[in-house]
């Protein structure tokens, strides 16, 4: 595979950027300021990396106007309003991810009454069940399983080995990484004298447009109605979304988050890694939950919420943790002292 | 796929319920009180939903005798001792999960000396290795791998893409969701001057009857003896069960729980989401562990145990957390004050 | 499959151990002191199991010199400097894990320009993409996917159903359990007025020699440069390694750990189960992080670090947790008391 090469001029045009430097300079890739070589484009998004700008060997740097004018760097630049966003946009030009050709691989199994658009690609050993619908320009990797009546909207990309159970409805341009399982049977049981009786999970999963689902993430089907994932939602790896959860548009979750059943999360929330949420609560729009927090009740005000405890040297932590077990006692003793002093201050001795 | 339709009379008979209303009323599905339409059956199990009863459009409602007699609802009802259990039982009638036909798919690979019951179903691209035994009415999904000498008892159901390594013994009517891995090699290493030397994992996994294993859950094989999962155990998604763990009958675990090696958990326990347990401990029967708790020692008394910290607004939490780091100092200062006051109260001044 | 049988003499020779007992005694397996039968070898590594030594029915016991000479056990023994390490070494003799024969299974798909060593084994329905290189004596399980240009060094072992995306470079003797995903697209997005824009992940993953990767563990590819896993690193199940993480040689991580993007971890660290680390921090060599700790900042001193809170009975914990929310207030009140007493002690009353 030969490297793709663009000129600085082409990239400037693509971005609508102001070009400072020679338009014909070749660019064959992207790299950080420290690591970029003379054929690589770099970017300055985080001010803490400004110190690496002067010494960078990059062919050019994506810069905000203020940084381009600042002292200390007069090298080639593509000047844009938001260098990080410009980097995101250009990154796709240099992606070496293989692009599958349209058509169904000879080893794939497509049910007679499934519909696969002629522009879609279906990989080796993939299985597409009865009544499924695969839209235009969809790419389905090897070993994927698309259950009965499931729908994948146009432009979707499934890595190898993704499972969609039956009755999973997915919008357009949705990306799903390897090992993800969508539509598994939610954890529903009725207890009959100590024995758990399974409740069939009759709902499906409905996923909006432009959603990304990470490797080995699981989204269970609903018990009665569907589990719902809004437009533009981004889910990292190893996330667990239980049955009948609803996630609002453009909410992002980092790895290892677990959301219990029937919880509703608003739009434009950010949920950091390792957060857990109990079931049947409502989280409003615009909430940021920091790492490893346990969300035990509904949140009705936008803002940041936490309960993750930061590490200490173990010897120090052991002392804090031992005291924590007796915190109620400690608080009561403090109250006692306060009372005694209050009494004392009213006594003639202090008068 | 046409919807299944029953009459209220048929459902009453199936449950042994008292019918209030017209026996010929058609029922084509189940729904919550708020969402049910005129052909759907609903149920009232949680008193907090009682307020939705009067306005429900449901064809009928599964009700406990007390709720059926209460004021405010005189509509059609199936009166049963435990409406939630009745809902669980009826749910299976309306499940649209595809049922596989008996037989081995033409693309599946079954070793010559594996035994597959004639009533079992083996899906596309499944691999069944030497000496494996598949019982009556088992359903094995596409892309499953059944390792050498592994046994799957009658009535089991494996979603697409489940891995059983070799020497995994599974009882009857066990359900395993997609992505689960049973019998992976446990994490066993001996440290030789800073270098980890692998210990072969010689045990297998033994799983009882009526067990459910969630999507992407992993259960490692034993180091010497088997890892043991009792009858009726229910494991949600993304659970990690390490080598030589033993789980007693009818214990249930919610998502993202991790149990370290050689820990033994009793019967009828409930382990909430995100709980972690250290290795080599014993947890007795009837223990309930709340969400995100770290279980660091054996539990010998039934009851509820916790250490998960509930979230606060981040600004408040930051203050609490900062103080937590100095809690030992704070406790010492309190002791100091107590001593000083004790001395003071013995002094003539206060006498 | 007939059991493998060795004699005590053979095992002594293999280990270079001192044999006490009859060299011709047959040994067909390994077991704990309590469970060993008369054809099984056992070992004493942890002093707390010494009490089981006298009554053990084992054919012989791997013992350190001190334990062999101690009172109370005069039975057969293999005397070695490190019995646990000796057990690790012998364990592989008794492993019943099926060994695949060299060759490409007739159903596997190998791209025309991929290189597969003649001594390698490629399982059923495996897919090996363009430009991939598979070394000598590699074993690739059924349903594995090896992406374009990925490299697997000699002696590697992949369980069934492992995904390597494109441009993943893996060293020699690497073991990967089922469900692992190496090279998935990292979680990189630029926020454009509330909408997340995907950043193509242009880097790959580079993994050293003698690495072990557990079931359903995910290691994301780098955003620009590669994600790096050193030699001898051992990762348990369900671990999440984000893009551009670097892990030093011989570091071990237990299950359910999550490491955020661009964090660097040193050599010979031990990270216990459920630990989370934020992104962009540096952890030095020789750090031990205890279970469920949240690592929120760089660590520059070797040693143990913690923040996991141990469980209490729920009723007690509820009290502690309630006080924890008001800990800042409590600390201020303590300060108040201290001030008042300091003032009081300077007053004439106490003078």
């Amino acid at each position: 595979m030969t490297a793709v090469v663009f000129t600085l001029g082409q990239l400037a045009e693509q971005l609508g950027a102001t070009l400072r430097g020679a338009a014909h300079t070749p660019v064959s890739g992207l790299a950080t300021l420290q690591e970029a070589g003379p054929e690589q484009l770099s970017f300055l998004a985080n001010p803490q990396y400004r110190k690496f700008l002067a010494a960078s060997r990059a062919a050019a740097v994506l810069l905000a106007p203020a940084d381009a004018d600042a002292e200390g760097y007069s090298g080639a630049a593509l000047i844009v309003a938001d260098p990080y966003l410009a980097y995101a946009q250009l990154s796709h030009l240099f992606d070496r991810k293989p692009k599958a050709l349209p058509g169904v691989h000879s080893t794939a199994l497509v049910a007679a009454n499934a519909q696969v658009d002629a522009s879609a690609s279906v990989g080796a050993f993939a299985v597409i069940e009865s009544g499924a619908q695969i839209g235009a320009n969809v790419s389905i990797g090897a070993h994927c399983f698309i259950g009965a009546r499931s729908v994948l909207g146009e432009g979707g990309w499934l890595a190898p080995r993704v499972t969609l159970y039956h009755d999973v409805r997915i919008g357009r341009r949705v990306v799903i990484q390897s090992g993800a399982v969508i539509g598994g049977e939610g954890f529903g049981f009725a207890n009959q004298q100590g024995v758990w009786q399974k409740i069939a999970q009759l709902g499906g999963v409905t996923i909006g447009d432009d959603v990304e689902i990470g490797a080995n993430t699981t989204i269970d089907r609903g018990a009665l109605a569907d589990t719902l994932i809004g437009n533009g939602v981004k889910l990292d790896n190893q996330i667990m979304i239980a049955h009948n959860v609803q996630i609002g548009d453009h909410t992002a979750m980092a790895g290892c988050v677990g959301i219990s059943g029937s919880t509703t999360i608003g739009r434009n929330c950010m949920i950091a890694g390792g957060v857990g949420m109990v079931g049947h609560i409502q989280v409003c729009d615009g909430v940021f939950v920091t790492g490893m927090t346990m969300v035990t009740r509904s949140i009705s005000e936008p803002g940041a919420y936490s309960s993750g405890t930061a590490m200490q040297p173990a010897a120090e932590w052991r002392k804090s943790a031992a005291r924590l077990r007796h915190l109620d006692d400690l608080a009561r003793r403090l109250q006692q002292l306060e009372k005694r002093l209050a009494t004392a201050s009213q006594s003639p001795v202090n008068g």
Side-chain angles (χ1 to χ4, degrees), chain A residues 10 42 46 49 54 70 84 92 100 103 127 150 193 199 225 239 250 273 289 308-309 317-318 335 350:
Chain A
Q10 287 171 317
S42 192
N46 184 333
Y49 293 107
Y84 196 64
H92 299 275
V127 174
S150 284
Q193 296 167 305
I199 299 170
I239 288 173
H250 309 298
V289 182
T309 303
W317 171 250
R318 260 194 302 273
Q335 265 174 317
N350 289 286

Side-chain angles (χ1 to χ4, degrees), chain A residues 18-350:
Chain A
T18 302
L19 168 63
R20 186 169 80 193
H24 57 79
T25 310
V27 174
S28 61
L30 296 169
T32 60
L33 287 168
Q34 303 105 290
E35 290 174 350
E39 271 213 5
Q40 290 177 303
L41 179 69
S42 192
F43 61 96
L44 175 60
N46 184 333
Q48 76 177 98
Y49 293 107
R50 205 176 194 299
K51 59 189 173 198
F52 298 118
L53 185 57
S56 181
R57 297 167 60 233
V61 180
L62 292 160
L63 290 176
D67 286 311
D69 296 343
E71 246 177 291
Y73 184 72
S74 54
L78 295 178
I79 302 165
V80 291
D82 183 341
Y84 196 64
L85 181 61
Y87 151 55
Q89 290 164 336
L90 293 186
S91 66
H92 299 275
L93 298 178
F94 301 100
D95 197 353
R96 299 185 78 207
K97 178 159 79 168
K99 305 256 181 317
L101 295 175
V104 176
H105 192 276
S106 63
T107 62
L109 297 173
V110 178
N113 64 345
Q115 296 170 33
V116 177
D117 190 277
S119 61
S121 169
V122 178
F125 307 121
V127 174
I128 299 182
E129 296 268 275
S130 167
Q133 298 173 42
I134 310 301
N137 300 310
V138 164
S139 178
I140 292 179
H143 303 127
C144 283
F145 180 89
I146 312 295
R149 300 176 299 277
S150 284
V151 177
L152 245 171
E154 63 175 73
W157 185 86
L158 270 54
R161 201 222 309 164
V162 168
T163 300
L164 310 185
Y165 279 57
H166 57 285
D167 297 303
V168 170
R169 286 159 282 271
I170 296 184
R172 292 167 294 175
R173 299 173 300 278
V174 168
V175 171
I176 309 183
Q177 304 293 335
S178 189
V181 176
I182 318 297
E185 297 176 4
F187 198 61
F189 300 93
N191 197 298
Q192 182 180 29
Q193 296 167 305
V195 174
W196 297 102
Q197 302 295 350
K198 185 181 174 88
I199 299 170
Q201 302 292 301
L202 309 178
V205 179
T206 297
I207 294 177
D209 296 335
D210 301 302
V211 169
E212 177 122 4
I213 297 171
N216 284 350
T217 281
T218 56
I219 303 177
D220 279 348
R221 64 192 315 104
L224 293 166
D226 282 10
T227 301
L228 300 174
I229 311 292
N231 295 318
V233 168
K234 309 296 181 186
L235 303 178
D236 197 357
N237 297 357
Q238 307 223 25
I239 288 173
M240 160 57 183
I241 306 292
H243 50 184
N244 296 107
V245 165
Q246 301 183 24
I247 303 180
D249 295 351
H250 309 298
T251 281
M253 295 191 187
C256 307
V257 166
I259 310 294
S260 304
S262 299
T263 279
T264 298
I265 299 173
R267 301 160 64 107
N268 295 103
C269 294
M270 291 176 63
I271 314 296
V275 165
M277 294 199 190
V278 301
H280 298 271
I281 59 172
Q282 278 77 45
V283 173
C284 68
D285 297 348
V287 165
F288 172 43
V289 182
T290 64
M292 294 177 81
T293 290
M294 179 165 71
V295 181
T296 51
R297 56 185 200 284
S298 292
I299 299 178
S300 53
E301 291 293 320
Y305 295 84
S306 303
S307 71
T309 303
M311 126 230 123
Q312 286 182 277
E316 292 176 31
W317 171 250
R318 260 194 302 273
K319 287 185 203 165
S320 302
R323 297 295 188 180
L324 180 55
R325 292 163 162 279
H326 302 290
L327 192 52
D328 186 52
D329 172 56
L330 201 142
R332 283 173 197 282
R333 284 159 51 200
L334 180 64
Q335 265 174 317
Q336 279 301 113
L337 287 190
E338 285 172 332
K339 271 193 205 160
R340 286 186 52 186
L341 277 175
T343 315
S345 69
Q346 289 162 2
S347 75
V349 173
N350 289 286

